[in-house]
Amino acid sequence: MNIVLLEPEIPANTGNIGRSCVATNTRLHLIEPLGFRINEKQIKRAGMDYWDKLDINIYSDLEDFYEKNLAAKEHMYFATTKAHHTYKEAKYNPDDYIMFGKESAGIPEEILSDNEDKCIRIPMWGDIRSLNLSNSVAIILYEALSQNGFEKMQLTGELHRLTYK
């Protein structure tokens, strides 16, 4: 899978998303301008000691991203509160891209209008504007991974019995 962050602004969100990407073997794409420097302490703190394991690519703008990821034009979903379809209605393939916009404004309207049939939303109650970006990424990413059988992911854990005296 591929997570695309268009002009992310908050380093802690990007750090948390990076950690989720490492845990799921997902590539992270960051499209500039970024609201932080990639070497900031906050981003690495949120990503903890996983940051060096992250498959990350940074692009100067959206055009640069599409030039270097030709398949993205055909295999992209756009996460937005303005979508007519929920993220559960999408049919994800293992190499799909899911784009999320910056925290303060989301994905620009012209991009959404050009891709209306590929726009997806997370249902929310009432008039809540949106969820936190890193939470939104996790919700949709895990749905996409679930639809693909959590391919090559560890599906079971093991309890270690503790004895008390």
Side-chain angles (χ1 to χ4, degrees), residues 5-15 17 33-36 100-107 129-134:
L5 302 182
L6 179 62
E7 302 176 6
E9 299 167 315
I10 301 173
N13 281 338
T14 301
I17 292 164
L34 308 179
F36 50 85
F100 297 81
K102 61 183 170 184
E103 291 90 339
S104 65
I107 300 170
R129 187 170 43 94
S130 65
L131 294 173
N132 174 275
L133 180 61
S134 60

Side-chain angles (χ1 to χ4, degrees), residues 6 62 66 78 99 107-116:
L6 179 62
L62 190 56
Y66 279 123
F78 301 85
M99 180 184 285
I107 300 170
E109 193 85 22
E110 59 271 11
I111 295 172
L112 299 176
S113 294
D114 290 344
N115 298 283
E116 191 172 349

Side-chain angles (χ1 to χ4, degrees), residues 119-130:
C119 290
I120 54 175
R121 68 175 281 116
I122 298 170
M124 291 174 278
W125 181 82
D127 60 355
I128 300 301
R129 187 170 43 94
S130 65

